[in-house]
Amino acid sequence: EAGDEAALAEIYAKSMCGQDIYFCNLQASSITLIDMVMGATWAEVIHPIARHQILLIPVFVLFLIIASFGLLNVVVGVIVDATADTKSRIQWSKRHQILSSLSDDWQQHLGESNLLSPHSWTDPEYTDEMKEKRKQEI
């Protein structure tokens, strides 16, 4: 069993993951690139690349620039969306206040002029006494 473990350790050491933990498979590569965009592993990744494959540095810098603009675009989009939503809520609130005020004024005007009574529109014999009684009911 000890021989099997040693053989597996040797195979792992010779494999891609044993030599390069950042880009040994797709999952590790994706996590490394995301960490690079966030700034977490930039120095740890770029120094070995600069020593062994210097021609890849422009590719990583270009990726970092594009990914940073993409991340910045998402952040700005969220801020703009929240601002537009707040503006819309404020406008609806103002419109609601104006309409409530106009409705109150209209109700008060109708109450004073006794236009709320259906008899006042059609019945010519609608007397002042009946109007007073209707006002008291309202």
Side-chain angles (χ1 to χ4, degrees), residues 70-85:
L71 186 62
L72 184 63
N73 187 26
V74 169
V75 170
V76 169
V78 168
I79 292 171
V80 167
D81 187 48
T83 304
D85 187 43

Side-chain angles (χ1 to χ4, degrees), residues 39-91:
T41 60
W42 173 254
E44 296 171 10
V45 172
I46 204 69
H47 289 301
I49 291 174
R51 275 182 282 179
H52 300 291
Q53 297 176 356
I54 198 160
L55 294 176
L56 287 178
I57 290 178
V59 174
F60 281 100
V61 171
L62 182 65
F63 167 77
L64 184 65
I65 290 170
I66 291 171
S68 296
F69 276 116
L71 186 62
L72 184 63
N73 187 26
V74 169
V75 170
V76 169
V78 168
I79 292 171
V80 167
D81 187 48
T83 304
D85 187 43
T86 302
K87 181 181 177 185
S88 176
R89 288 182 184 184
I90 290 171
Q91 286 177 341

Side-chain angles (χ1 to χ4, degrees), residues 124-138:
E125 296 182 3
Y126 192 63
T127 64
D128 289 336
E129 293 173 348
M130 295 171 82
K131 289 179 184 178
E132 288 299 322
K133 185 177 177 185
R134 180 70 180 159
K135 280 185 183 180
Q136 290 174 357
E137 288 175 1
I138 296 174

